[in-house]
Amino acid sequence: MSPLELDRNESWLSREELDAARERLPILYVDAVPVRVDDRGVLTAVGLLLRASDGKINRELVSGRVLYHERVRDALVRHLEKDLGPMALPQIPASPQPFTVAEYFPTPGVTPFHDPRQHAVSLVFVVPVAGDCQPQQDALDLAWLTPQEAMDPGLLADMDNGHGVLLRQALGHLGHAV
C-alpha cells in the first residue's frame, strides 16, 4: 500500500482525542452550498438540508470535517455524497477554490459563525450537483429553493451557526441581489 492509500477511518481520532484537540486548536472543515444550474450555468435552485439537533429542526448547508491526509476535494465529495446520496453527482473542479472562508468560534458573537464545540475554520464552496439527490444519514429532508425563496428573511434567520450568512454570501457570489 502506498502512503496515499490510507484507510480513512471516520474515527481517525478517538472521541476523547478529538474533544481534546478541539479544545486546543482550530479544526479544518468544508461547507458546501449545493446548487442546480441550467445549461448556461445560471443558478436555478439551492439545496438546503433539514436536520434535527439540540431539540430544534433547522435548514443547513452540507458541512463536515476534513480528515487527516484527505484532500479538500475528497472531503467535499465525501460530505456531499454522505448528505445528498451517492447519485448526487457533484461537479467539483480538479482544483476547487472556496468563495469564502468562515471562522467558527465556540464563543457566540466573535464572528457570525458559531460552533459551541470548537474553533473551526471552514472553506466554503458553491457546488453544482447534476444527479438525483436524496437526503442521507441524519438529514431529514432536502429542499430545492429558488434563489428568491432562499433569500426569505425568515428562512435565513432560522439557519443556525451562521449558515444563513453563508447562504446570502453564496447567492451574492453568484450574482444575485442580497
Side-chain angles (χ1 to χ4, degrees):
M1 180 185 307
S2 79
L4 294 178
E5 295 176 36
L6 298 176
D7 176 22
R8 289 197 184 118
N9 186 339
E10 287 293 319
S11 61
W12 57 279
L13 293 175
S14 71
R15 174 58 49 204
E16 295 79 22
E17 291 169 326
L18 181 59
D19 289 343
R22 283 177 164 155
E23 291 175 2
R24 292 180 176 83
L25 44 102
I27 306 293
L28 181 62
Y29 274 70
V30 290
D31 284 318
V33 181
V35 298
R36 298 272 193 204
V37 295
D38 66 15
D39 57 350
R40 296 176 299 134
V42 175
L43 176 68
T44 59
V46 177
L48 297 179
L49 297 167
L50 186 67
R51 291 193 202 275
S53 64
D54 298 329
K56 298 188 313 189
I57 296 180
N58 296 313
R59 291 283 174 195
E60 293 183 358
L61 304 175
V62 172
S63 184
R65 202 171 64 229
V66 177
L67 299 178
Y68 178 74
H69 216 276
E70 181 179 43
R71 295 180 340 157
V72 168
R73 184 181 192 287
D74 295 336
L76 273 171
V77 170
R78 180 171 55 83
H79 288 293
L80 285 159
E81 288 181 351
K82 175 184 68 81
D83 286 341
L84 305 180
M87 298 306 296
L89 304 177
Q91 307 297 301
I92 301 172
S95 180
Q97 299 295 315
F99 75 87
T100 194
V101 174
E103 193 168 14
Y104 293 82
F105 282 91
T107 306
V110 177
T111 69
F113 312 106
H114 175 248
D115 186 335
R117 304 167 301 167
Q118 65 194 338
H119 177 186
V121 176
S122 183
L123 306 175
V124 189
F125 300 85
V126 172
V127 180
V129 292
D132 180 36
C133 298
Q134 298 295 321
Q136 306 286 310
Q137 302 277 330
D138 62 347
L140 304 173
D141 187 31
L142 171 66
W144 290 101
L145 307 175
T146 67
Q148 295 75 23
E149 292 169 332
M151 288 303 301
D152 177 78
L155 174 99
L156 293 170
D158 286 342
M159 295 179 76
D160 275 350
N161 304 329
H163 281 198
V165 173
L166 292 178
L167 179 56
R168 282 179 52 94
Q169 289 177 342
L171 290 169
H173 176 74
L174 295 170
H176 289 270
V178 291

